[in-house]
Amino acid sequence: MLKSIDISGFPNLRILELEYEYMLVEGDLPGLSHFRSETSDIRHLPIFLRGLPESTEKLIFHFKTPTRVVDGVSSVYWDFTDWDMLDRVLAKLHARVPALRATFHFRVTSVNPLGPPLENPGALPDVAGDLKTRLHRTVARDNGGVVCLVSCA
């Protein structure tokens, strides 16, 4: 859907709020092969955002994503968009709109019941640290950086 919307046609847009739920079911069952079922990704998000007008002051993202477990450590699935391209687009947008602010709300869903258990099931993944790594150009202090707020629940 994002691919078909030309956001540049809204020259007075000040706040853009986007909500996306990434659902994934993956596992291995005895006697069956590996299976994976997932919702469609939002790979076109960076291309969509590239057209934002200079009137844009704030971006608000709500992402609901399942946890994944790697070596007993909780993380989230990040592969629902192209984070490197998103980083480049947001950094360029910030150059055009220095007052730009971005808020990322992550709602982390429980681990896939068919996956391996967490060593510390009550721990939330380090979403803020992972996001900072993925958006390193966007938040870089040498160019003033986009102010990014992150919440995780």
Side-chain angles (χ1 to χ4, degrees), residues 7-55:
I7 196 72
S8 66
F10 300 91
N12 297 320
L13 180 71
R14 290 185 36 242
I15 300 171
L16 175 72
E17 191 163 358
L18 177 86
E19 187 170 333
Y20 173 76
E21 181 174 355
Y22 181 67
M23 294 188 319
L24 173 72
V25 177
E26 181 175 40
D28 293 300
L29 294 175
L32 299 174
S33 62
H34 181 80
F35 67 91
R36 179 182 174 110
S37 175
E38 63 184 306
T39 57
S40 60
D41 60 32
I42 51 172
R43 297 261 171 223
H44 292 97
L45 177 61
I47 296 165
F48 169 77
L49 293 176
R50 197 168 43 195
L52 282 171
E54 292 184 15
S55 61

Side-chain angles (χ1 to χ4, degrees), residues 78 102-106 126-129 131-132 148-152:
W78 290 99
T103 302
F104 295 86
H105 299 283
F106 282 84
D126 181 13
V127 172
L131 186 65
K132 183 178 178 181
C148 292
L149 304 173
V150 181
S151 72
C152 181

